[in-house]
């Protein structure tokens, strides 16, 4: 039931853990679909398991860098230190695209696009880590790296950067209107979709110095992306 | 460092797993803060661990119902069947409130509000389950339950409803502008915040029958909430 419109080399691996079981019709199996979900998100939810078997789900900034997903943070972060050991992880990025209002409560739903990436992170070092930090910054604020000073050695030393291969993932999408029961169609009840999206419309200067400066290109690009 | 502006009875339990370690200044410890994050969200990310120790992070609709968090879905759902066994879970709701643009890449950040709830779900049955389904529907589309027919016995039989007590949770909030290094303040570089939010502005009828009907109160309330 899982379909791919690209060749085998770009298909996502259909392993046990990455196989979509509920609504397999909503599964997408190609790298283009995965990249689209990852590239348009700002925040991922990273899942890991502690020593006692307790799962944790933590929101993090991230970026896709070719065939890998990057996260970063303080070298003191418990999350990053745990992930750096190669512990099994699941990274989920979800876009809420709409509320689906059906003629029955039962058929009400949400439109969304979600990507789950499975695997183990590895720590990046040296130039690879420094370049990865820039990729994450430019993912969050497109082009910002060229507008600000380079990260210092001290800042880089305080930053842990981790990468996860995009070799095992699943993408699930629900789009379109409600699926009503045939017997509900006659009822004089409105049904449809309320599209939702994460938006931005303004840039607020942080202080009086910034208020005197023009809004930089990176920030204008970010706002355009979220308009 | 964790502060509460309410009495002890409303404080969140500061257990090992719910203690905020990174940026404890961003931790909030009262039920009002937790309820505010949960009540204004549409989607949660549920974390669980399979038999092999692999974590999964799955997006789900949810609702807060007093002192418990509700999720529901098909009785055939692997996620719900696993959670119904009482397996340890972590439910995270995150709002992306803005992109923080600092004068250095290093100090760039995101504004957010996130809630993590820890514990084990239990399955609801009978009238409790039926009422809980209505709470979830009205959380997603405020007031919708009174506009549509009741769920049928068959629909309820096909639905599994689970509840998680809000007894162990943490709330973390980052708000405000960038925290620049003193030495970066002199640079002619803009800094500030790009506020973000999940928005909705229109309701799209699902078919020609719906197009002839007025937008219902529930949908207008939803759009107003997301405007």
């Amino acid at each position: 039931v899982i379909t791919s419109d690209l060749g085998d080399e770009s298909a996502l691996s259909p392993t046990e853990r990455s196989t979509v079981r509920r609504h397999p019709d909503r599964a997408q199996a190609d790298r283009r679909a995965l990249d689209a979900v990852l590239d348009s998100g700002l925040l991922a939810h990273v899942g890991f398991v502690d020593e006692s078997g307790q799962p944790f789900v933590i929101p993090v900034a991230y970026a896709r860098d070719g065939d890998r997903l990057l996260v970063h943070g303080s070298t003191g972060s418990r999350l990053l230190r745990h992930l750096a050991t190669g512990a099994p992880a699941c990274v989920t990025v979800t876009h809420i695209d709409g509320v689906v209002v059906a003629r029955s409560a039962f058929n009400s739903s949400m439109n969304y696009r979600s990507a789950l990436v499975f695997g183990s992170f590895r720590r990046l070092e040296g130039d690879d880590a420094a370049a990865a930090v820039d990729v994450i910054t430019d993912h969050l604020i497109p082009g910002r790296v060229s507008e600000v000073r380079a990260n210092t050695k001290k800042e880089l030393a305080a930053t842990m950067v981790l990468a996860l291969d995009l070799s095992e993932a699943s993408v699930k999408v629900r789009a379109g209107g409600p699926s009503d029961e045939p017997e509900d169609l006659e009822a004089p009840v409105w049904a449809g979709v309320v599209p939702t999206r994460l938006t931005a419309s303004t840039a607020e200067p942080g202080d009086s110095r910034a208020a005197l400066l023009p809004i930089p290109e990176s920030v204008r690009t970010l706002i355009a992306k979220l308009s």
Side-chain angles (χ1 to χ4, degrees), chain A:
Chain A
V1 192
I2 296 178
T3 58
S4 170
D5 59 345
L6 286 179
D8 273 337
E9 63 257 307
S10 61
L12 304 175
S13 82
T15 59
E16 172 69 16
R17 60 188 177 187
S18 67
T19 298
V20 173
R21 286 193 176 70
R22 293 302 305 167
H23 294 292
D25 52 302
R26 296 180 185 169
Q28 309 214 348
D30 65 68
R31 265 301 299 277
R32 264 197 314 221
L34 176 65
D35 292 356
V37 171
L38 297 179
D39 291 353
S40 56
L42 291 180
L43 191 111
H45 282 85
V46 177
F48 69 97
V49 188
D50 78 359
E51 313 70 40
S52 73
Q54 172 67 43
F56 287 76
V57 178
I58 312 281
V60 297
Y62 74 96
R64 183 179 70 87
D65 180 30
D67 293 332
R68 61 190 191 175
L69 187 146
L70 304 170
V71 299
H72 75 331
S74 165
T75 51
S77 156
R78 188 169 57 143
L79 165 66
L80 292 181
R81 290 160 74 115
H82 183 86
L83 293 175
T85 65
C90 174
V91 181
T92 300
V93 173
T94 306
H95 301 276
I96 307 177
D97 289 335
V99 176
V100 180
V101 183
R103 289 180 173 88
S104 64
F106 184 76
N107 286 314
S108 295
S109 186
M110 295 180 74
N111 282 339
Y112 62 90
R113 287 161 292 144
S114 69
L116 275 67
V117 183
F118 299 94
S120 295
F121 283 92
R122 64 182 184 285
R123 186 170 181 175
L124 304 184
E125 308 279 357
D127 291 348
D128 194 17
V133 170
D134 286 347
V135 170
I136 296 172
T137 299
D138 275 346
H139 174 77
L140 186 63
I141 312 162
R144 186 61 171 168
V145 168
S146 68
E147 296 173 348
V148 294
R149 64 168 173 77
N151 289 308
T152 65
K153 282 186 183 176
K154 190 179 162 193
E155 288 169 340
L156 289 172
T159 303
M160 194 185 298
V161 192
L162 305 178
L164 173 65
D165 286 336
L166 297 180
S167 52
E168 193 177 346
S170 66
V171 176
K172 208 168 166 181
V173 175
R174 197 230 180 262
S179 300
D180 277 308
E181 308 300 327
E183 59 268 32
D184 288 330
L185 293 176
E186 303 294 326
V189 176
W190 190 91
V193 173
V194 176
T196 57
R197 61 189 307 256
L198 189 76
T199 56
S201 54
T202 57
E204 300 173 349
D207 52 34
S208 54
R209 291 169 188 271
L212 298 173
L213 297 169
I215 308 294
E217 178 70 21
S218 64
V219 172
R220 284 188 278 125
T221 305
L222 173 64
I223 292 173
K225 201 175 148 186
L226 297 175
S227 289

